[in-house]
Amino acid sequence: MEIPIQSVAPVQIGQVENRLAGTGCTVLVCPQGMRAGLDVRGGGPASRESQLLNPLMAAQFIHAIVLGGGSAFGLGAANGVMRYLEERQIGLDVGVTKVPLVAQSDLFDLTVGDAFTRPDAEMGYQAARQAMENPNYRDGNYGAGCGATVGKIHGMATCMKSGIGSYAVKLGELRIGALVAVNALGDVFDWKTGKQVAGLLSDDRSGLRSTAEAMKSSVKRIENRFVENTTLAIVITNAEFRKDQLCKIAGMAHDGYARSIQPVHTTADGDSIYAVSAGAVEADLDLVGTLAAEVVSEAILRAVLSAESAYGFPSASSLSRSAEQ
């Protein structure tokens, strides 16, 4: 049964975006701490504190995850999240203060609006405040999805607007959902029908064509491929798992990327998936991993279908309306 992403587990989600600049961030906060794993498959990730999620590291809980725009420039948004949480005494107790453990991954949106306006500490602070005081998550051109685009094998001239999407389900006591900011080099497909719904535009921008087929036009090595991509996801569950198990669930969740994005996990993408556990429900790891892939696929679809045309880039909904006229 479908449920709102906000009801999956005791986590809170806030978003802030700068629409003029075409960038933003989405912050997921768990004040009491959450176990988390990470699986990175893309060749160009921009991330912070990713080693905290290595099962060999001492920390068993983190307090927030930030998905942001701005590429590596935007990683400073986590500083603002840390400041907000420290002010509220949320974090690892080190005696003199509490240190919030905050992981972050960023996508590249510098070619969408203003290349020199990126998520910063102030934006991160405000997004954390939204999460804690007035959770405002929405699918579409919000938060980390503000400047998201897809289908960029030939650059920005023939790409489409994407966004951030979510989907969650309940199976007995088990709850699981995903947030996905879709900013892929490749095309997006409806995972249930196989139909392409977004991606590389035709030369006249009136329809879609295949990124994979465009790549096959030459087998020669490309030294400077368009690298402004990366799809980011957070899988959330109320089931209780260790960090190593969550890393496995994150890995299985990448099947959702593979079903819905083609090509995916390229050297020009920084594709990353977090899996977080904030609950005590007993559930089978393989079942949760399988469901993780499904909710990720559906969240990807909703990210592109909920996106609105912006910055001169058409959305899937606008393309569909044009085809009907």
PDB file of all heavy atoms in Angstrom, residues 247-262:
ATOM      1  N   CYS A 247      24.410  -1.014   3.641  1.00  0.00           N
ATOM      2  CA  CYS A 247      25.221  -0.879   2.429  1.00  0.00           C
ATOM      3  C   CYS A 247      24.764  -1.879   1.365  1.00  0.00           C
ATOM      4  O   CYS A 247      24.736  -1.558   0.167  1.00  0.00           O
ATOM      5  CB  CYS A 247      26.703  -1.077   2.749  1.00  0.00           C
ATOM      6  SG  CYS A 247      27.461   0.300   3.649  1.00  0.00           S
ATOM      7  N   LYS A 248      24.391  -3.081   1.792  1.00  0.00           N
ATOM      8  CA  LYS A 248      23.872  -4.082   0.851  1.00  0.00           C
ATOM      9  C   LYS A 248      22.532  -3.634   0.270  1.00  0.00           C
ATOM     10  O   LYS A 248      22.293  -3.759  -0.941  1.00  0.00           O
ATOM     11  CB  LYS A 248      23.713  -5.435   1.554  1.00  0.00           C
ATOM     12  CG  LYS A 248      23.139  -6.532   0.671  1.00  0.00           C
ATOM     13  CD  LYS A 248      24.006  -6.793  -0.556  1.00  0.00           C
ATOM     14  CE  LYS A 248      23.440  -7.942  -1.378  1.00  0.00           C
ATOM     15  NZ  LYS A 248      24.213  -8.145  -2.633  1.00  0.00           N
ATOM     16  N   ILE A 249      21.654  -3.099   1.121  1.00  0.00           N
ATOM     17  CA  ILE A 249      20.356  -2.610   0.643  1.00  0.00           C
ATOM     18  C   ILE A 249      20.552  -1.476  -0.353  1.00  0.00           C
ATOM     19  O   ILE A 249      19.881  -1.431  -1.396  1.00  0.00           O
ATOM     20  CB  ILE A 249      19.488  -2.160   1.841  1.00  0.00           C
ATOM     21  CG1 ILE A 249      19.068  -3.387   2.648  1.00  0.00           C
ATOM     22  CG2 ILE A 249      18.271  -1.366   1.378  1.00  0.00           C
ATOM     23  CD1 ILE A 249      18.438  -3.057   3.991  1.00  0.00           C
ATOM     24  N   ALA A 250      21.489  -0.577  -0.072  1.00  0.00           N
ATOM     25  CA  ALA A 250      21.784   0.510  -1.010  1.00  0.00           C
ATOM     26  C   ALA A 250      22.263  -0.045  -2.339  1.00  0.00           C
ATOM     27  O   ALA A 250      21.900   0.460  -3.409  1.00  0.00           O
ATOM     28  CB  ALA A 250      22.824   1.455  -0.410  1.00  0.00           C
ATOM     29  N   GLY A 251      23.080  -1.093  -2.281  1.00  0.00           N
ATOM     30  CA  GLY A 251      23.555  -1.722  -3.510  1.00  0.00           C
ATOM     31  C   GLY A 251      22.423  -2.341  -4.303  1.00  0.00           C
ATOM     32  O   GLY A 251      22.351  -2.205  -5.530  1.00  0.00           O
ATOM     33  N   MET A 252      21.501  -3.023  -3.617  1.00  0.00           N
ATOM     34  CA  MET A 252      20.352  -3.617  -4.314  1.00  0.00           C
ATOM     35  C   MET A 252      19.440  -2.532  -4.870  1.00  0.00           C
ATOM     36  O   MET A 252      18.829  -2.709  -5.932  1.00  0.00           O
ATOM     37  CB  MET A 252      19.580  -4.525  -3.357  1.00  0.00           C
ATOM     38  CG  MET A 252      20.346  -5.766  -2.934  1.00  0.00           C
ATOM     39  SD  MET A 252      19.414  -6.836  -1.798  1.00  0.00           S
ATOM     40  CE  MET A 252      18.176  -7.509  -2.914  1.00  0.00           C
ATOM     41  N   ALA A 253      19.364  -1.396  -4.179  1.00  0.00           N
ATOM     42  CA  ALA A 253      18.516  -0.293  -4.649  1.00  0.00           C
ATOM     43  C   ALA A 253      18.996   0.260  -5.982  1.00  0.00           C
ATOM     44  O   ALA A 253      18.203   0.835  -6.742  1.00  0.00           O
ATOM     45  CB  ALA A 253      18.471   0.814  -3.598  1.00  0.00           C
ATOM     46  N   HIS A 254      20.287   0.096  -6.288  1.00  0.00           N
ATOM     47  CA  HIS A 254      20.797   0.551  -7.583  1.00  0.00           C
ATOM     48  C   HIS A 254      20.148  -0.195  -8.745  1.00  0.00           C
ATOM     49  O   HIS A 254      20.184   0.293  -9.890  1.00  0.00           O
ATOM     50  CB  HIS A 254      22.320   0.387  -7.640  1.00  0.00           C
ATOM     51  CG  HIS A 254      23.067   1.568  -7.107  1.00  0.00           C
ATOM     52  ND1 HIS A 254      23.219   2.739  -7.813  1.00  0.00           N
ATOM     53  CD2 HIS A 254      23.706   1.748  -5.930  1.00  0.00           C
ATOM     54  CE1 HIS A 254      23.932   3.597  -7.100  1.00  0.00           C
ATOM     55  NE2 HIS A 254      24.236   3.025  -5.954  1.00  0.00           N
ATOM     56  N   ASP A 255      19.539  -1.362  -8.476  1.00  0.00           N
ATOM     57  CA  ASP A 255      18.776  -2.036  -9.534  1.00  0.00           C
ATOM     58  C   ASP A 255      17.643  -1.134 -10.019  1.00  0.00           C
ATOM     59  O   ASP A 255      17.255  -1.188 -11.186  1.00  0.00           O
ATOM     60  CB  ASP A 255      18.201  -3.361  -9.032  1.00  0.00           C
ATOM     61  CG  ASP A 255      19.280  -4.410  -8.780  1.00  0.00           C
ATOM     62  OD1 ASP A 255      20.439  -4.179  -9.172  1.00  0.00           O
ATOM     63  OD2 ASP A 255      18.952  -5.452  -8.186  1.00  0.00           O
ATOM     64  N   GLY A 256      17.129  -0.310  -9.111  1.00  0.00           N
ATOM     65  CA  GLY A 256      16.092   0.642  -9.495  1.00  0.00           C
ATOM     66  C   GLY A 256      16.608   1.678 -10.476  1.00  0.00           C
ATOM     67  O   GLY A 256      15.893   2.074 -11.418  1.00  0.00           O
ATOM     68  N   TYR A 257      17.835   2.139 -10.272  1.00  0.00           N
ATOM     69  CA  TYR A 257      18.460   3.030 -11.255  1.00  0.00           C
ATOM     70  C   TYR A 257      18.565   2.330 -12.606  1.00  0.00           C
ATOM     71  O   TYR A 257      18.241   2.901 -13.648  1.00  0.00           O
ATOM     72  CB  TYR A 257      19.872   3.402 -10.797  1.00  0.00           C
ATOM     73  CG  TYR A 257      20.000   4.523  -9.795  1.00  0.00           C
ATOM     74  CD1 TYR A 257      18.913   4.989  -9.065  1.00  0.00           C
ATOM     75  CD2 TYR A 257      21.236   5.120  -9.571  1.00  0.00           C
ATOM     76  CE1 TYR A 257      19.068   6.018  -8.150  1.00  0.00           C
ATOM     77  CE2 TYR A 257      21.393   6.148  -8.655  1.00  0.00           C
ATOM     78  CZ  TYR A 257      20.308   6.597  -7.943  1.00  0.00           C
ATOM     79  OH  TYR A 257      20.465   7.611  -7.036  1.00  0.00           O
ATOM     80  N   ALA A 258      19.047   1.082 -12.587  1.00  0.00           N
ATOM     81  CA  ALA A 258      19.294   0.357 -13.833  1.00  0.00           C
ATOM     82  C   ALA A 258      18.003   0.095 -14.604  1.00  0.00           C
ATOM     83  O   ALA A 258      18.008   0.070 -15.837  1.00  0.00           O
ATOM     84  CB  ALA A 258      20.010  -0.955 -13.539  1.00  0.00           C
ATOM     85  N   ARG A 259      16.895  -0.101 -13.897  1.00  0.00           N
ATOM     86  CA  ARG A 259      15.622  -0.311 -14.568  1.00  0.00           C
ATOM     87  C   ARG A 259      15.110   0.959 -15.240  1.00  0.00           C
ATOM     88  O   ARG A 259      14.435   0.905 -16.261  1.00  0.00           O
ATOM     89  CB  ARG A 259      14.548  -0.746 -13.556  1.00  0.00           C
ATOM     90  CG  ARG A 259      14.685  -2.135 -13.017  1.00  0.00           C
ATOM     91  CD  ARG A 259      13.462  -2.454 -12.176  1.00  0.00           C
ATOM     92  NE  ARG A 259      13.632  -3.696 -11.446  1.00  0.00           N
ATOM     93  CZ  ARG A 259      13.509  -3.817 -10.129  1.00  0.00           C
ATOM     94  NH1 ARG A 259      13.203  -2.757  -9.399  1.00  0.00           N
ATOM     95  NH2 ARG A 259      13.681  -4.984  -9.549  1.00  0.00           N
ATOM     96  N   SER A 260      15.408   2.101 -14.636  1.00  0.00           N
ATOM     97  CA  SER A 260      14.730   3.337 -15.012  1.00  0.00           C
ATOM     98  C   SER A 260      15.586   4.343 -15.756  1.00  0.00           C
ATOM     99  O   SER A 260      15.037   5.285 -16.337  1.00  0.00           O
ATOM    100  CB  SER A 260      14.174   4.007 -13.743  1.00  0.00           C
ATOM    101  OG  SER A 260      13.270   3.149 -13.084  1.00  0.00           O
ATOM    102  N   ILE A 261      16.898   4.203 -15.730  1.00  0.00           N
ATOM    103  CA  ILE A 261      17.790   5.160 -16.378  1.00  0.00           C
ATOM    104  C   ILE A 261      18.743   4.408 -17.294  1.00  0.00           C
ATOM    105  O   ILE A 261      19.403   3.460 -16.865  1.00  0.00           O
ATOM    106  CB  ILE A 261      18.599   5.965 -15.339  1.00  0.00           C
ATOM    107  CG1 ILE A 261      17.670   6.677 -14.362  1.00  0.00           C
ATOM    108  CG2 ILE A 261      19.508   6.975 -16.036  1.00  0.00           C
ATOM    109  CD1 ILE A 261      18.401   7.325 -13.184  1.00  0.00           C
ATOM    110  N   GLN A 262      18.817   4.823 -18.556  1.00  0.00           N
ATOM    111  CA  GLN A 262      19.739   4.188 -19.514  1.00  0.00           C
ATOM    112  C   GLN A 262      20.404   5.262 -20.369  1.00  0.00           C
ATOM    113  O   GLN A 262      19.701   6.088 -20.952  1.00  0.00           O
ATOM    114  CB  GLN A 262      18.967   3.229 -20.418  1.00  0.00           C
ATOM    115  CG  GLN A 262      18.331   2.063 -19.680  1.00  0.00           C
ATOM    116  CD  GLN A 262      17.555   1.172 -20.631  1.00  0.00           C
ATOM    117  OE1 GLN A 262      17.830   1.098 -21.828  1.00  0.00           O
ATOM    118  NE2 GLN A 262      16.547   0.497 -20.114  1.00  0.00           N
TER     119      GLN A 262
END
